[in-house]
Amino acid sequence: MKLQRSSAVATILASLLTPLLPATARADAYRAKPKLVVILVLDQFREDYLERYRSDFKSPNGFNLFLNDGANFPDCYYNYANTMTAPGHTTIGTGAYTNGHGIALNEWWDLSRSTTHPVSSVEDERYLLVGSADPKEVGASPRNELASTLGDEVVLATKGQSKLFGISLKDRAAILTSGHASKGAFWLDHATGHFVSSTYWGPTLPTWASAFNASDRTAQALTEAHARPGHFYDDVGKSPASVSYLLDFAKALVSGEQMGTHDVTDVLTISISSTDILGHGVGPDAPEQRAMVDAVDTDLNDFFTWLNQHVDGGLPNVWIALTGDHGIAPTVQAAQADGMPAASFNTSKLIEALNTRLTARFSPTKPTKFLLQSELPYLTLDPRPFAALKVSEADAESAVKDLLPEALESTLDPEPSTPSSTRLAPRPFIRHAYTRTEIASNQLPPTEDGQLIAHSFSTNGGWYVLMTPGMYDLGGATGTNHFTPYSYDRHVPLSFFGTPFEPGTYHGRVEPVDLAATLAALLRVNQPSAAVGHILTQAIDPSYDAQPHKQ
C-alpha cells in the first residue's frame, strides 16, 4: 500500500535545468531510454539505517533522492538463509537466489581446483590479475555465476552495444552484480589501493583507469584516513575517505567510457563496501557507523549531481536502484545490554569438537580431521577421510548434524549447578541444522524456514551441513557478523529513482530479486535467466508509458 506521494521530484528535476522526458515516452534499452541505469548496492546496510538517521540527511541528491523523490520499499527482506556478500550481490544482479545462481558463500572448498585453500566465489586460475604488482597473481571472472544478470540481458538485447561495468572495493561485489557480458569490472588491490581487473576483460587496464591509479588520488585517501601505506583496504576501507575514493573512480569510468551518451542504455553497478568493512568491527549501533552512513549520503549527493552534468539529458535520463547485499546483527555486547539473549561461540573450537566426536565414531584409533575450515552458516565436510572409511555422504552429514548441539555445548563454560539470584549469561545453541543431502532432496519443513533453506542450496562446496544458531548468537567474541536467516540479516533497502516511478513509500513485503525483474520489464528486455522476482507495478506511474511507442 502506498502511504504518501511526494511532489518534490518535480521540483528537483526542474531545478536541475534539464529537459524532462515526456511522461508518455515509453522506455526501452534499445533506444537509450534511459541513457544510464545505475544499480547501487550498500554492503552491510540494514534498511532501518535510513529510518534511524533520516534527520541527518540534508543533501537533496543523497538518500533523499530516494526517500523524498523515489519509490521507496522499506519492507524488503531476502528470502534465503545464507546472508553473505557474494550471494547477496549475485542475487541483486540475477534476480535469483542461490538455488538459481549457484553462489552460496564468499568462498568454498572445491577439491578439484585446490586442496590447499578454499576457492573464492570469483577466483579463476585461468586468468591473471591486471594492474597488480604481481604479474602472476591469479585472476577472477564470473565463472561460478550460473545465471545471467540484468546488465547481461541489456547487453544481449542491444547486440553488444550497451556498455556494462561493475566497480567496488571488493572483487566479488564488482564482478557478480554486473555479470558475464560486462566490458570491465574493477576492484581494489588491498595493499596499494589501486584499482585492478582481470585478463578476463583484457590484457591491460583502460587508459582512464591507469591514469586514475597514477594520480595523487590514492595518496589523498591515505592522508584523509590517516592510513598506513600498504594497508589501503583495511585502513582506508573503514574510513569515510573510501566512499568518495570509490565514487571518484566511478566518475573516471563514466567519463572515460562516455557512459550515458550512447544510442542504447548503459548499465553501471556500484557497490560501496565501506559500511561493511567498518561495520564488522564496530556494529550497527556505533557512532562511527552513523558517521559512515552520513558520509555516504554526502558523497552520493556529489556523485548524482555530477551525473546530472555528464549524462546526456541529466538525471531525468538516469534510473537508479538502491539496495543492500545483507543486513547485520548487533554486537553481542550491545544486544545483551538491551536484555536480548545474545551469545558468542568459537567457530574453530566448534569444528575441533566435532572432529573429536567424529573421530570417536568413525576412526577411534586414528585422530582424523573430518571437517574443513569454512564460513558460517556452512560446516564443510572433507569427503576424503569419509570415503577412505567407506562412509557415505548422507551418513557423514547426518553424523555432523546429530553431534552439533553436543559439540557446541562442550566448548562453553558449564552452567551453575544451583539457582542464581542474578540473570545468567545467555548461552548459544543450535536452532536447527540441515544436511546438503536433505536440502538437495527437499526434505525440509513446509515453513518459511524451510523455504529460506531451500533457496540457499548450491552444489558448490561439496558435502556440508547448514546450521542456524539462536537469534543474535555470533561465531566470534568481538565485533559482529551476518550469516543467518533472521530478519536483521535479511532486511535491506529497496528504492528506485527515475521517470517511470511514482514517488512514495510503499509498504508490504518485497524482495531484492524484484529489482532485476522490475527494471527488466521497464527496459523491455528479458528478465535474467533464473529470475524469480516480481515486477513492482504498484510503484510505476500509470501514465508513464500509456501511449503506444512510435517507431
Side-chain angles (χ1 to χ4, degrees):
M1 179 180 66
K2 186 183 71 173
L3 295 184
Q4 61 183 10
R5 178 177 181 177
S6 168
S7 61
V9 68
T11 303
I12 187 174
L13 292 180
S15 69
L16 293 172
L17 301 179
T18 50
L20 183 65
L21 289 175
T24 56
R26 184 171 178 171
D28 65 66
Y30 315 102
R31 296 168 183 83
K33 296 178 181 178
K35 284 287 184 180
L36 178 66
V37 170
V38 178
I39 298 176
L40 176 64
V41 184
L42 296 172
D43 199 324
Q44 193 191 124
F45 198 93
R46 280 200 328 231
E47 194 282 333
D48 64 298
Y49 287 171
L50 297 180
E51 316 301 334
R52 294 167 72 179
Y53 307 138
R54 188 163 186 168
S55 62
D56 294 1
F57 306 148
K58 309 301 183 185
S59 305
N61 290 354
F63 289 126
N64 283 329
L65 195 69
F66 306 96
L67 296 173
N68 295 337
D69 306 310
N72 184 38
F73 293 84
D75 309 304
C76 181
Y77 290 83
Y78 279 93
N79 196 14
Y80 66 175
N82 52 319
T83 44
M84 301 288 286
T85 296
H89 282 83
T90 313
T91 291
I92 293 163
T94 64
Y97 287 116
T98 291
N99 61 332
H101 58 61
I103 305 294
L105 281 168
N106 296 329
E107 59 182 28
W108 55 81
W109 285 92
D110 183 342
L111 298 176
S112 68
R113 293 174 62 185
S114 173
T115 58
T116 60
H117 69 278
V119 175
S120 92
S121 55
V122 293
E123 179 180 332
D124 195 335
E125 60 276 6
R126 302 172 302 172
Y127 300 98
L128 295 173
L129 281 191
V130 173
S132 169
D134 182 356
K136 296 183 179 180
E137 193 168 352
V138 172
S141 82
R143 69 179 292 184
N144 294 312
E145 190 170 40
L146 304 182
S148 67
T149 64
L150 172 75
D152 288 337
E153 295 300 335
V154 172
V155 171
L156 288 169
T158 60
K159 298 181 180 180
Q161 295 180 69
S162 291
K163 289 198 171 187
L164 167 65
F165 287 91
I167 66 169
S168 178
L169 303 186
K170 298 180 180 181
D171 54 1
R172 53 189 178 269
I175 294 169
L176 298 172
T177 320
S178 53
H180 303 264
S182 63
K183 301 294 192 293
F186 305 93
W187 58 93
L188 280 191
D189 177 280
H190 282 207
T192 67
H194 289 166
F195 282 91
V196 298
S197 190
S198 170
T199 53
Y200 175 86
W201 291 278
T204 60
L205 289 176
T207 302
W208 58 264
S210 295
F212 184 91
N213 285 340
S215 72
D216 63 357
R217 189 62 183 87
T218 304
Q220 178 187 341
L222 287 166
T223 300
E224 291 175 2
H226 307 289
R228 301 163 293 167
H231 297 268
F232 192 99
Y233 182 89
D234 293 330
D235 290 357
V236 179
K238 65 182 180 183
S239 160
S242 61
V243 182
S244 59
Y245 185 72
L246 176 70
L247 294 177
D248 281 352
F249 185 78
K251 294 175 187 177
L253 189 159
V254 171
S255 295
E257 298 293 341
Q258 297 183 315
M259 297 192 77
T261 64
H262 303 117
D263 294 333
V264 293
T265 296
D266 294 327
V267 180
L268 174 63
T269 70
I270 302 173
S271 175
I272 296 176
S273 310
S274 315
T275 39
D276 184 76
I277 299 170
L278 173 66
H280 274 287
V282 303
D285 307 301
E288 298 94 331
Q289 188 71 322
R290 180 173 186 169
M292 179 69 81
V293 173
D294 290 348
V296 173
D297 176 59
T298 299
D299 291 330
L300 286 180
N301 178 76
D302 173 74
F303 178 63
F304 293 144
T305 301
W306 184 91
L307 279 184
N308 179 62
Q309 300 164 352
H310 291 81
V311 172
D312 286 355
L315 275 186
N317 278 333
V318 179
W319 297 354
I320 309 166
L322 167 72
T323 190
D325 63 337
H326 53 75
I328 191 66
T331 65
V332 169
Q333 295 78 9
Q336 286 182 355
D338 290 336
M340 298 304 294
S344 62
F345 58 93
N346 187 307
T347 306
S348 295
K349 287 185 177 180
L350 173 60
I351 292 175
E352 182 182 343
L354 282 167
N355 276 324
T356 298
R357 283 158 177 75
L358 290 167
T359 293
R361 177 173 295 192
F362 294 115
S363 180
T365 62
K366 181 181 178 182
T368 304
K369 290 185 177 180
F370 288 98
L371 271 72
L372 299 164
Q373 289 290 335
S374 59
E375 293 180 312
L376 297 177
Y378 296 89
L379 295 169
T380 302
L381 286 65
D382 187 341
R384 295 169 297 182
F386 287 110
L389 294 166
K390 296 182 171 51
V391 177
S392 70
E393 177 185 356
D395 288 344
E397 291 171 350
S398 292
V400 172
K401 176 182 175 179
D402 293 343
L403 294 169
L404 186 53
E406 173 192 326
L408 176 60
E409 186 64 27
S410 74
T411 68
L412 309 176
D413 294 333
E415 287 197 282
S417 57
T418 58
S420 173
S421 60
T422 60
R423 181 179 294 189
L424 299 174
R427 296 176 70 80
F429 69 97
I430 304 300
R431 180 178 178 184
H432 56 59
Y434 300 99
T435 69
R436 194 202 74 87
T437 304
E438 289 174 330
I439 303 170
S441 59
N442 201 30
Q443 298 176 45
L444 298 169
T447 62
E448 182 179 15
D449 272 349
Q451 184 178 65
L452 296 173
I453 299 300
H455 287 168
S456 305
F457 174 73
S458 174
T459 55
N460 290 324
W463 301 4
Y464 59 79
V465 172
L466 194 158
M467 61 165 280
T468 300
M471 63 176 180
Y472 303 110
D473 289 350
L474 294 175
T478 61
T480 186
N481 208 344
H482 49 85
F483 61 85
T484 76
Y486 295 117
S487 62
Y488 50 79
D489 280 344
R490 296 191 289 121
H491 192 196
V492 294
L494 182 62
S495 294
F496 299 87
F497 173 83
T499 51
F501 300 102
E502 190 170 13
T505 297
Y506 298 81
H507 280 295
R509 280 288 185 105
V510 296
E511 303 174 28
V513 292
D514 299 334
L515 185 155
T518 300
L519 291 180
L522 288 168
L523 292 169
R524 302 299 195 272
V525 301
N526 290 325
Q527 291 190 14
S529 59
V532 296
H534 295 90
I535 301 164
L536 299 174
T537 56
Q538 63 269 44
I540 299 173
D541 186 337
S543 69
Y544 179 71
D545 57 2
Q547 300 298 318
H549 185 78
K550 296 180 180 180
Q551 299 198 32

